[in-house]
Amino acid sequence: MRAEVQQMLYERPELRQYIRQHPNWYRKLSRDPSQFPTLEKEANQFYGRTLPQRVERVQNSLGLVMMMMEMLKMGQSTVGDSQGPVQ
């Protein structure tokens, strides 16, 4: 592998780890170092760093928070109903 490619991988440990998990990239980068941006895009998609993946995670988190708030409201209303009138 070329020295400049090795240097870029040394500076980016997450890409180095991705290449270890997907060894076909060793061959691709050795033959054509201009494929490095493609490697970065693929690694970002693998690690969930693309914009659609981030938006989906935020939506899931908000949905979970909303569900917890609804459960909390339901729990408070049932506690208030079961205690009955105060004497």
Side-chain angles (χ1 to χ4, degrees):
M1 192 176 291
R2 296 184 183 176
E4 65 270 9
V5 174
Q6 288 180 346
Q7 180 63 32
M8 286 189 280
L9 292 174
Y10 179 75
E11 293 170 358
R12 310 263 314 266
E14 72 277 357
L15 290 179
R16 196 173 42 212
Q17 182 63 33
Y18 179 77
I19 286 180
R20 286 181 181 154
Q21 293 176 355
H22 300 88
N24 61 325
W25 274 104
Y26 283 111
R27 188 175 349 109
K28 287 181 183 179
L29 290 175
S30 293
R31 293 178 183 170
D32 186 12
S34 66
Q35 293 262 332
F36 199 80
T38 307
L39 166 69
E40 290 177 319
K41 288 179 186 176
E42 196 172 304
N44 285 338
Q45 186 174 7
F46 177 78
Y47 288 121
R49 294 184 189 139
T50 63
L51 184 61
Q53 291 170 321
R54 289 179 181 182
V55 169
E56 184 178 349
R57 275 198 307 266
V58 169
Q59 285 177 338
N60 289 343
S61 297
L62 287 175
L64 182 63
V65 168
M66 294 299 289
M67 183 177 66
M68 295 294 268
M69 288 175 60
E70 287 297 321
M71 289 175 57
L72 184 61
K73 286 180 186 177
M74 288 176 55
Q76 288 177 349
S77 66
T78 56
V79 168
D81 293 342
S82 64
Q83 289 180 356
V86 179
Q87 296 181 3

